Amino acid sequence: KAQPGEWLNCKRFLGNEAVPVALASLLAEVKRRTEQSINTPKLAVFLDDWLNTVALDPAMAEAFFLEAATRILTAGIVPYFLLQSDSKTDWGTKHGAQLKNNFVHLLLSAPRDNGRLNYNQLRGVVIYPGEKIQHQVSLPGGLPTFGDGEPDLELAVPGMSPADEA
Protein backbone atom coordinates (compact mmCIF):
# COMPACT_ATOMS: atom_id res chain seq x y z
CA LYS A 1 0.00 0.00 0.00
CA ALA A 2 1.32 3.40 -0.90
CA GLN A 3 0.15 5.45 2.09
CA PRO A 4 2.24 5.40 5.30
CA GLY A 5 0.31 3.73 8.10
CA GLU A 6 -1.88 1.54 5.85
CA TRP A 7 0.25 -1.49 6.71
CA LEU A 8 1.60 -0.74 10.16
CA ASN A 9 4.81 -2.44 11.26
CA CYS A 10 5.77 -3.29 7.67
CA LYS A 11 8.71 -2.46 5.45
CA ARG A 12 7.34 -1.31 2.10
CA PHE A 13 8.92 -1.61 -1.33
CA LEU A 14 7.14 0.76 -3.70
CA GLY A 15 7.59 1.61 -7.36
CA ASN A 16 8.64 -0.20 -10.49
CA GLU A 17 12.35 -0.02 -9.64
CA ALA A 18 11.90 -1.41 -6.12
CA VAL A 19 9.90 -4.53 -7.05
CA PRO A 20 12.67 -6.55 -8.77
CA VAL A 21 15.15 -5.47 -6.08
CA ALA A 22 12.76 -6.59 -3.33
CA LEU A 23 12.12 -9.97 -5.01
CA ALA A 24 15.85 -10.53 -5.60
CA SER A 25 16.50 -9.67 -1.94
CA LEU A 26 13.86 -12.15 -0.80
CA LEU A 27 15.33 -14.88 -3.03
CA ALA A 28 18.78 -14.15 -1.57
CA GLU A 29 17.31 -14.35 1.95
CA VAL A 30 15.68 -17.72 1.15
CA LYS A 31 19.05 -19.02 -0.07
CA ARG A 32 20.89 -17.68 2.99
CA ARG A 33 18.39 -19.10 5.48
CA THR A 34 18.25 -22.47 3.72
CA GLU A 35 22.02 -22.90 3.32
CA GLN A 36 22.75 -21.84 6.89
CA SER A 37 19.77 -23.72 8.41
CA ILE A 38 18.66 -20.52 10.12
CA ASN A 39 15.63 -20.86 12.38
CA THR A 40 14.03 -17.44 12.85
CA PRO A 41 10.55 -16.11 13.46
CA LYS A 42 8.32 -16.22 10.39
CA LEU A 43 8.57 -13.31 7.97
CA ALA A 44 5.29 -12.48 6.21
CA VAL A 45 5.63 -11.10 2.68
CA PHE A 46 2.62 -9.51 0.99
CA LEU A 47 2.81 -9.34 -2.80
CA ASP A 48 0.19 -6.83 -3.87
CA ASP A 49 -0.49 -6.18 -7.55
CA TRP A 50 1.26 -9.46 -8.39
CA LEU A 51 0.34 -9.23 -12.08
CA ASN A 52 2.17 -5.91 -12.27
CA THR A 53 5.23 -7.64 -10.76
CA VAL A 54 5.06 -10.27 -13.49
CA ALA A 55 4.84 -7.57 -16.17
CA LEU A 56 7.87 -5.71 -14.77
CA ASP A 57 10.22 -8.71 -14.67
CA PRO A 58 8.70 -12.01 -15.86
CA ALA A 59 11.88 -14.05 -15.23
CA MET A 60 12.22 -12.77 -11.66
CA ALA A 61 8.51 -13.35 -10.97
CA GLU A 62 8.77 -16.92 -12.29
CA ALA A 63 11.85 -17.63 -10.15
CA PHE A 64 10.16 -16.14 -7.09
CA PHE A 65 6.95 -18.09 -7.69
CA LEU A 66 8.85 -21.39 -7.95
CA GLU A 67 10.63 -20.64 -4.67
CA ALA A 68 7.30 -19.65 -3.09
CA ALA A 69 5.83 -23.01 -4.09
CA THR A 70 8.81 -24.98 -2.78
CA ARG A 71 11.60 -23.73 -0.47
CA ILE A 72 10.35 -20.38 0.81
CA LEU A 73 8.28 -21.81 3.68
CA THR A 74 11.24 -23.94 4.76
CA ALA A 75 13.18 -20.68 5.07
CA GLY A 76 10.52 -19.25 7.37
CA ILE A 77 9.14 -16.77 4.82
CA VAL A 78 5.38 -16.87 4.23
CA PRO A 79 4.22 -15.32 0.94
CA TYR A 80 0.76 -13.79 0.59
CA PHE A 81 -0.22 -13.15 -3.04
CA LEU A 82 -2.96 -10.51 -3.33
CA LEU A 83 -4.89 -11.12 -6.55
CA GLN A 84 -8.12 -9.79 -8.01
CA SER A 85 -9.04 -13.30 -9.14
CA ASP A 86 -7.53 -16.78 -9.30
CA SER A 87 -7.18 -17.20 -13.05
CA LYS A 88 -4.09 -18.31 -14.97
CA THR A 89 -3.79 -14.76 -16.30
CA ASP A 90 -3.80 -13.24 -12.80
CA TRP A 91 -1.01 -15.56 -11.64
CA GLY A 92 0.91 -14.56 -14.77
CA THR A 93 3.58 -17.28 -14.61
CA LYS A 94 3.75 -20.46 -16.63
CA HIS A 95 3.72 -22.52 -13.42
CA GLY A 96 1.09 -20.36 -11.68
CA ALA A 97 -1.93 -22.30 -12.83
CA GLN A 98 -0.22 -25.62 -11.99
CA LEU A 99 1.10 -24.66 -8.55
CA LYS A 100 -1.60 -22.37 -7.21
CA ASN A 101 -3.23 -25.26 -5.34
CA ASN A 102 -0.11 -25.46 -3.12
CA PHE A 103 -1.32 -22.34 -1.33
CA VAL A 104 -4.09 -21.60 1.16
CA HIS A 105 -6.64 -19.33 -0.51
CA LEU A 106 -8.46 -16.65 1.46
CA LEU A 107 -11.30 -15.38 -0.68
CA LEU A 108 -12.87 -12.12 0.42
CA SER A 109 -16.14 -10.62 -0.70
CA ALA A 110 -17.79 -7.38 0.28
CA PRO A 111 -20.84 -5.78 -1.26
CA ARG A 112 -20.50 -2.34 -2.80
CA ASP A 113 -22.56 0.67 -1.78
CA ASN A 114 -22.51 3.39 -4.44
CA GLY A 115 -19.33 1.89 -5.92
CA ARG A 116 -17.42 1.69 -2.60
CA LEU A 117 -16.69 -1.52 -0.71
CA ASN A 118 -18.75 -1.93 2.44
CA TYR A 119 -16.16 -3.33 4.85
CA ASN A 120 -18.79 -3.84 7.55
CA GLN A 121 -20.22 -6.65 5.43
CA LEU A 122 -16.87 -8.19 4.47
CA ARG A 123 -16.95 -12.00 4.45
CA GLY A 124 -14.22 -14.55 3.92
CA VAL A 125 -13.72 -18.21 3.14
CA VAL A 126 -10.55 -20.31 3.20
CA ILE A 127 -9.73 -23.10 0.76
CA TYR A 128 -6.85 -25.31 1.91
CA PRO A 129 -4.22 -26.75 -0.47
CA GLY A 130 -5.60 -29.54 -2.62
CA GLU A 131 -9.19 -28.93 -1.51
CA LYS A 132 -12.20 -27.32 -3.14
CA ILE A 133 -14.28 -26.98 0.04
CA GLN A 134 -14.84 -23.40 1.24
CA HIS A 135 -14.51 -22.96 5.02
CA GLN A 136 -16.10 -19.83 6.55
CA VAL A 137 -13.65 -17.73 8.61
CA SER A 138 -13.97 -14.87 11.06
CA LEU A 139 -12.07 -11.84 9.81
CA PRO A 140 -10.30 -9.29 12.01
CA GLY A 141 -11.73 -5.80 11.93
CA GLY A 142 -10.02 -2.44 11.91
CA LEU A 143 -6.34 -1.62 11.60
CA PRO A 144 -3.68 -2.83 14.05
CA THR A 145 -2.54 -0.18 16.51
CA PHE A 146 0.98 -1.44 17.29
CA GLY A 147 4.20 -0.17 15.77
CA ASP A 148 5.12 3.19 14.31
CA GLY A 149 4.73 2.39 10.63
CA GLU A 150 7.98 0.93 9.35
CA PRO A 151 10.37 -1.28 11.32
CA ASP A 152 14.10 -1.41 10.69
CA LEU A 153 14.15 -4.45 8.41
CA GLU A 154 16.97 -5.12 5.99
CA LEU A 155 17.25 -8.03 3.60
CA ALA A 156 20.41 -9.40 2.06
CA VAL A 157 21.69 -7.69 -1.08
CA PRO A 158 21.65 -10.21 -3.95
CA GLY A 159 25.14 -11.57 -4.62
CA MET A 160 26.60 -10.32 -1.33
CA SER A 161 27.20 -12.20 1.89
CA PRO A 162 26.50 -10.47 5.23
CA ALA A 163 30.29 -10.23 5.73
CA ASP A 164 30.62 -8.26 2.46
CA GLU A 165 28.06 -5.73 3.65
CA ALA A 166 29.87 -4.94 6.91
Side-chain angles (χ1 to χ4, degrees):
K1 298 297 180 184
Q3 299 300 316
E6 279 189 284
W7 287 65
L8 295 178
N9 208 25
C10 293
K11 177 74 175 180
R12 298 174 299 145
F13 294 89
L14 302 171
N16 292 348
E17 299 81 24
V19 171
V21 172
L23 290 182
S25 294
L26 284 165
L27 289 173
E29 182 67 7
V30 169
K31 182 178 180 183
R32 182 181 77 83
R33 289 180 178 202
T34 303
E35 288 176 352
Q36 297 177 16
S37 298
I38 295 173
N39 187 6
T40 64
K42 299 270 188 258
L43 172 64
V45 176
F46 294 89
L47 300 128
D48 199 2
D49 296 325
W50 176 248
L51 190 55
N52 186 48
T53 302
V54 173
L56 289 172
D57 191 334
M60 178 64 70
E62 187 74 26
F64 185 84
F65 190 84
L66 290 175
E67 287 294 311
T70 56
R71 299 185 322 148
I72 200 167
L73 288 175
T74 303
I77 299 172
V78 182
Y80 293 85
F81 294 90
L82 301 156
L83 304 169
Q84 295 297 321
S85 74
D86 197 23
S87 70
K88 177 181 175 182
T89 301
D90 286 321
W91 283 99
T93 66
K94 67 181 179 180
H95 292 95
Q98 297 165 349
L99 296 175
K100 71 179 186 175
N101 289 332
N102 286 351
F103 299 101
V104 173
H105 291 72
L106 171 61
L107 306 174
L108 303 175
S109 64
R112 293 182 182 267
D113 293 330
N114 296 320
R116 299 188 72 183
L117 289 176
N118 182 340
Y119 293 106
N120 294 326
Q121 294 183 20
L122 182 65
R123 302 291 175 258
V125 296
V126 167
I127 302 173
Y128 294 105
E131 288 187 7
K132 294 184 188 236
I133 300 169
Q134 295 185 357
H135 305 274
Q136 296 289 324
V137 294
S138 297
L139 299 171
L143 292 173
T145 56
F146 56 89
D148 60 0
E150 292 195 31
D152 182 19
L153 171 66
E154 296 299 325
L155 297 174
V157 176
M160 291 184 75
S161 71
D164 295 333
E165 295 177 22

